[in-house]
Amino acid sequence: MTHSVEWCEDHVRLLDQRLLPQEERYVDLRTCDKVAAAIRDMTVRGAPAIGVAAAYGVVLAAQCADSASRTDAVASAISQLAATRPTAVNLFAALERMRCVQRDCDPQLLVGELLREARTVHEEELSASMAISSLGATLFPAGATVLTHCNAGMIATAAHGTALGAIVEAHRQGKVSRAIATETRPLLQGARLTVWELVRAGVPTTLITDSMVGHFMRTSHIDLVIVGADRIAANGDVANKIGTYSIAVLARAHGVPFYVAAPTSTVDMSLRSGAAIEIEERNTTEVTSIAGIRVAAECPEVRNPAFDVTPHRLVTAIVTERGILRSPFTRGLKGVAASHGGRSR
Ligand code: MRU
């Protein structure tokens, strides 16, 4: 099992996901500034993994400060980390938990208590991904061909994965005949990371470009789509990697079930619908270049939204660690979010 985020005695160790699959390199980070930069530049990515890394980033800020300035250092670390990436709510949920510890804790005990909370966030994400993997696997028919988008695997979470965890578990149970992974432009999380994980897990895998999804839906028998999520609004609208919405529309047009697998830390009950989810716009060089090489002609306008929102009416079911939810989603999401302590940005 590869761990993308680890706490090693007094610092954070991250798998540098930008280098995969060519190189499996780990970086040791000892300051909150470095953790914030690693989230922003996507050394660490994937909603649950970002939340865990941020929680440890707050611990580093407390650890680096002297006792007189520790409370202020933690507050400014939380603001700094909150400004890294706007869409995945796991980041804000984890930071809110760290803020509550800071508010309620004796400053002398702050480092230890923050570390304890960060470890709890980490362990909860770990057990959530394990539960989601086994629940998600129950949705697979025998001999399934499954399509996934982006990377919702062990390296995007604390371990196991969500959507990819379900695929790997269903494969272990002998139910998967093939997984189809989309390359996921612009940063190729599918081609680089999902294929790497699936092949290592021994799952028969086919890589396609994003624009091939319609063709394969029409000409091959795809039994289900399963993807992860970065934020799920109270009505079940789902923000996930750009391109997810197009796949959901195609799935509906072809009668293919479209499943979303995500921990309750991804549910944001403070937003009534996906219209209120902030969509991150990243640097346009990610679109104009591939692996650092410019491929696009000069163009007056280039756009690079990193996520899109799939309306809840296109979602067949949402798999959380607390159960599989079906439409209408609001009541079910309220139930699972409440039992998780509620989430808000
Ligand atoms: O920009 P990224 O690579 O962080 O986006 C990741 C995704 O969209 C994943 O599908 C999502 O975070 C779920 S990871 C379990």
Side-chain angles (χ1 to χ4, degrees), residues 17-18 53 81 114 134 164 169 251 273 276 284 312:
Q17 298 192 39
R18 299 167 308 170
L81 289 158
L114 288 170
S134 20
L164 216 49
E169 176 57 22
S273 83
T284 55
H312 61 90

Side-chain angles (χ1 to χ4, degrees), residues 42 45-48 85 150-152 156-157 162 189 229-230 240-241 307:
M42 294 174 66
R45 50 147 297 281
R85 297 193 73 189
C150 193
N151 174 268
T157 59
T162 53
Q189 288 93 330
D230 289 83
N240 190 48
K241 180 52 56 193
F307 302 95

Side-chain angles (χ1 to χ4, degrees), residues 198-218:
L198 285 171
V199 170
R200 279 179 18 144
V203 181
T205 301
T206 301
L207 169 66
I208 63 172
T209 70
D210 304 341
S211 52
M212 294 174 188
V213 173
H215 171 77
F216 279 96
M217 287 245 182
R218 201 171 63 76

